[in-house]
Structures are given as C-alpha cells and as structure tokens.
C-alpha cells in the first residue's frame, strides 16, 4: 500500500493543507481498493487484547465498539459507570475529538467489522489521527508497536497502521522497528510471519540488512511449500542470497508442490523453480516442462520464463517450440509461435514456416 503526497511550497498554510490533503487521498484510495477487492469488508474481527469497555473505564473516554447492526455504538464512561448511547452514526463526532491511540484503534476495528460501504473514508481520517498522535510521541508509538505485534486475528487494522509506524519521527525508530521484526519472528506463527513480511516489504527494510534477510530466508525455507508466506518471502529474495543447499531445498519443495498446486499458483511455482535453478540447468528444466505430459498451465509458465529472460533462447528450445507451433492440435501451438517470433531470432524461411504452420 504505497501513497505519495507532493505539496508545492508557496506559503506555510498551503504546504500543510497540501500535505494533509495528499495523505488523505492516498489513504482513501488504498482503502477503497481493499474494499473493492473484498479484503476489507465483512471481517468478523475484534480488537485483540483491548477490551473496549474496560479501556473506556481506564481512560474515561468515549470509545467505539461494534454492534450487530453494523453501526458505531458508543460507550460513555463517567465516574466508573457505563452508559451506552443510542445506536447512531456518531463517527464524525469521534473523529473531531482528541481521542487516545487505544480509543482510535478500537474505533478502527469497529469500522472494519461494521462493513459500511463508506467506512474506508472514516478509516483514512482515523489513520490521520494516529499519525498525529505518534509522530513525536514514543509512548504512543509503543502502543501501536504492541498492538501490531500482539494482534492475532484476521483483522486488517495492523496492516493499515504500517504506514503510521514507518512515518513516526521519534528517536531510535529504526532500532525499535528492527526489534519489532525480531519480536514477530520469535512468535513462530503464520500470522506473525505475515505481519513481519508486510512490515519489512512496505519500506524495503530488508534491503542491505543481513539479519532481516536471514529471517526472510527462514520463512521461505521452512514455511509449508504451498503457503502464502512462503510465496511472499521468495518474492523478497534474490537467488544469490541463498547458498546451493538452500536453493536446492527451495527447488525440491516447489517441485513437489507443483504436482498438487491449483491452476492459479502454477505459474508462480514454475517461474521460481527456474529463478532459483542454476543457469546451466534451466534449459533442461524448460525442455522438460514443455512436454505434452505436463498440464497447459505449466507449459505456458515456461514460455513466460522465456519472455521474461529467465530462460535464454537456444537451439534446443527453438526446435522444441517449432514442433509445438507446427502441431495445430497442440493447445500450446499459438503460444509457441508467438514466443518464437518475439523471443527467438528467426530468419525469413523460419518465419514462413510459422505462417504456413498456422
């Protein structure tokens, strides 16, 4: 989730207005995309380790909690007593007050659970409240760090606040963020690893950091071969960052997973088998995967590696592709013809062969 805000500096007031507007728009569009993709709405989640009413009693504030009607129900606490205000949309009232970080997190979770179509707009405003609360406040920053580390549900709120953590301007932030990565890794859970990969990839924390790269390698090597975390981790690694034994393990595990993979995952698996293989072995692998004994998705994926440059053109592959292209009963025929024309060097006679073979 990346958003860029550019402000033209004319006067101080226009600078601040431009920055705020740009940030809100970026957050607005990002959350709107999540809503459209189905990753945002209809999650049955709750605020982990933060009991809303208990928190309200401790802070003597008004906080939001989810209701069965999908509205924002507010719990007002005064002198130890609890009063539930009528169910109504008082979100704008909440956003206008100087709410605490804990209250704002509760508000975000309530919005996420509500499933409101316009909730992402209010979430953008709530994220701006958090940004202002932690930008130079170590105590509030630590509250967000603890929440990010300890939330164990499928709530998307921890992922929304990643940009808030990265944008904070506090002393030793890099060390604190590195400690958060270590803390997530030590949990040894799939959810912890997912949050870790999201955190480090969102700002390139792993680039040039051997310790974080080592953590990502462990996830790539020891997560289940068909897991999303393994896919994510491999995407963050380059082949030269793994030694021969580690690359062999990746290839072996992915080759096993390929036999049972759903169609939509075949391309990723094949491309990574090629990517982590030695260059001297890639032609042999490509020739094998082009065989009619393999499914259509696997064969198309190999052609993709040729288009991307992972597998370099040579005479062996050229001959194999001509056999496929000249066989109209082969479902890969047209794809092979396109690959020969756009990836391989062919002369005029070969071009005419392809035209006649079509």
């Amino acid at each position: 989730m990346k958003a860029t805000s550019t402000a033209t500096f004319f006067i101080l007031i226009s600078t601040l207005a431009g920055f705020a507007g740009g940030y809100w728009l970026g957050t607005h569009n990002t959350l709107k995309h999540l809503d459209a993709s189905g990753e945002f709405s209809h999650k049955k989640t709750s605020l982990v380790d933060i009991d809303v009413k208990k928190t309200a009693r401790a802070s003597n504030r008004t906080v939001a909690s989810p209701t069965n009607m999908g509205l924002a129900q507010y719990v007002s606490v005064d002198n130890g007593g609890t009063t539930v205000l009528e169910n109504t949309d008082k979100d704008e009232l909440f956003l206008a007050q100087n709410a605490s970080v804990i209250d704002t997190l509760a508000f975000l979770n309530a919005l996420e659970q509500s499933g409101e179509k316009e909730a992402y707009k209010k979430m953008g405003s709530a994220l701006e409240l958090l940004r202002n609360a932690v930008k130079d406040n170590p105590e509030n920053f630590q509250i967000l760090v603890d929440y990010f580390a300890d939330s164990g549900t499928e709530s998307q709120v921890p992922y929304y606040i990643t940009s808030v953590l990265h944008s904070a301007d506090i002393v030793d932030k890099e060390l604190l963020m590195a400690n958060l990565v270590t803390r997530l890794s030590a949990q040894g859970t799939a959810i912890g690893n997912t949050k870790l990969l999201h955190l480090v990839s969102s700002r390139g924390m792993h680039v040039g950091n051997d310790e974080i790269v080592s953590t990502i390698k462990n996830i790539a090597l020891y997560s289940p071969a068909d897991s999303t975390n393994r896919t994510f981790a491999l995407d963050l690694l380059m082949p030269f960052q793994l030694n021969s034994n580690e690359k062999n393990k990746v290839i072996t595990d992915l080759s096993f997973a390929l036999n049972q993979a759903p169609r939509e995952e075949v391309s990723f698996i094949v491309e990574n088998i090629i990517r982590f293989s030695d260059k001297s072995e890639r032609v042999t692998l490509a020739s094998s995967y082009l065989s009619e004994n393999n499914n259509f998705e696997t064969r198309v994926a190999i052609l993709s590696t040729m288009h991307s440059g992972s597998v370099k053109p040579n005479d062996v592959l050229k001959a194999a592709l001509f056999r496929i292209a000249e066989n109209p009963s082969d479902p890969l025929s047209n794809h092979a013809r396109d690959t020969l024309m756009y990836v391989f060097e062919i002369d005029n006679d070969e071009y005419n062969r392809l035209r006649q073979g079509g």
Side-chain angles (χ1 to χ4, degrees), residues 138 141-142 145 165 168-180:
F141 182 83
Q142 189 60 47
V145 166
L165 291 170
D169 184 19
I170 60 172
V171 177
D172 295 329
K173 185 185 75 174
E174 291 187 4
L175 176 61
L176 293 171
M177 294 292 278
N179 289 341
L180 175 56

Side-chain angles (χ1 to χ4, degrees), residues 17-314:
F19 175 80
Y23 169 76
W24 181 89
L25 180 60
T27 304
H28 168 94
N29 288 337
T30 299
L31 294 174
K32 185 174 182 179
H33 167 73
L34 289 171
D35 185 43
S37 67
E39 296 180 18
F40 165 75
S41 301
H42 311 301
K43 295 280 188 179
K44 296 300 182 182
T45 58
S46 61
L47 186 61
V48 175
D49 295 332
I50 300 179
D51 182 279
V52 176
K53 294 184 180 181
K54 183 177 179 181
T55 299
R57 294 190 185 95
S59 62
N60 196 27
R61 291 179 180 272
T62 299
V63 298
S65 63
T67 70
N68 293 330
M69 300 300 293
L71 300 175
Q73 181 186 74
Y74 285 81
V75 181
S76 179
V77 179
D78 185 25
N79 296 325
T82 302
T83 302
V84 179
L85 305 181
E86 66 174 305
N87 283 341
T88 185
D89 187 356
K90 293 188 175 70
D91 296 345
E92 297 302 329
L93 176 62
F94 176 88
L95 291 170
Q97 66 180 343
N98 187 25
S100 72
V101 170
I102 291 178
D103 291 355
T104 306
L105 287 171
F107 178 76
L108 281 168
N109 276 270
L111 282 176
E112 183 187 30
Q113 188 177 24
S114 74
E116 293 180 36
K117 291 182 179 180
E118 300 300 312
Y120 60 85
K121 294 181 180 179
K122 298 172 185 177
M123 293 186 78
S125 299
L127 290 171
E128 182 67 13
L129 290 179
L130 289 178
R131 183 181 292 270
N132 291 331
V134 306
K135 62 182 179 181
D136 57 1
N137 189 314
E139 181 179 348
N140 285 340
F141 182 83
Q142 189 60 47
I143 292 174
L144 276 192
V145 166
D146 291 340
Y147 173 75
F148 188 91
D150 297 333
S151 57
T153 71
E154 294 182 356
S155 171
Q156 296 298 302
V157 173
Y159 305 101
Y160 298 154
I161 66 173
T162 303
S163 64
V164 178
L165 291 170
H166 281 302
S167 66
D169 184 19
I170 60 172
V171 177
D172 295 329
K173 185 185 75 174
E174 291 187 4
L175 176 61
L176 293 171
M177 294 292 278
N179 289 341
L180 175 56
V181 172
T182 301
R183 181 173 171 181
L184 292 168
S185 176
Q187 291 177 358
T189 64
I191 291 176
N193 286 340
T194 299
K195 289 188 289 186
L196 184 157
L197 293 170
H198 176 80
L199 183 69
V200 301
S201 65
S202 60
R203 286 295 176 92
M205 293 175 62
H206 58 298
V207 178
N209 188 314
D210 292 341
E211 186 174 349
I212 293 180
V213 167
S214 179
T215 299
I216 296 173
K217 283 170 58 175
N218 286 334
I219 296 173
L221 292 171
Y222 302 112
S223 295
D226 59 348
S227 71
T228 302
N229 281 342
R230 184 164 199 163
T231 300
F232 199 168
L234 286 173
D235 280 344
L236 297 178
L237 293 172
M238 296 298 291
F240 65 79
Q241 293 174 315
L242 279 66
N243 61 37
S244 296
N245 291 334
E246 291 168 338
K247 286 191 286 189
N248 287 337
K249 176 173 172 50
V250 168
I251 294 168
T252 300
D253 290 348
L254 289 179
S255 297
F256 176 78
L258 179 62
N259 297 326
Q260 310 167 47
R263 291 183 175 183
E264 62 272 14
E265 295 179 11
V266 168
S267 178
F268 166 81
I269 293 175
V270 171
E271 289 175 10
N272 273 284
I273 289 174
I274 295 297
R275 191 163 73 94
F276 286 95
S277 298
D278 289 339
K279 291 183 178 180
S280 60
E281 300 173 349
R282 292 180 183 180
V283 171
T284 301
L285 283 169
S287 298
S288 174
Y289 284 134
L290 278 176
S291 167
E292 291 185 62
N293 295 328
N294 293 303
N295 59 41
F296 179 77
E297 288 76 20
T298 298
R299 301 174 77 203
V300 168
I302 279 298
L303 296 185
S304 177
T305 64
M306 297 179 195
H307 283 273
S308 69
S310 296
V311 175
K312 302 298 183 183
N314 70 2

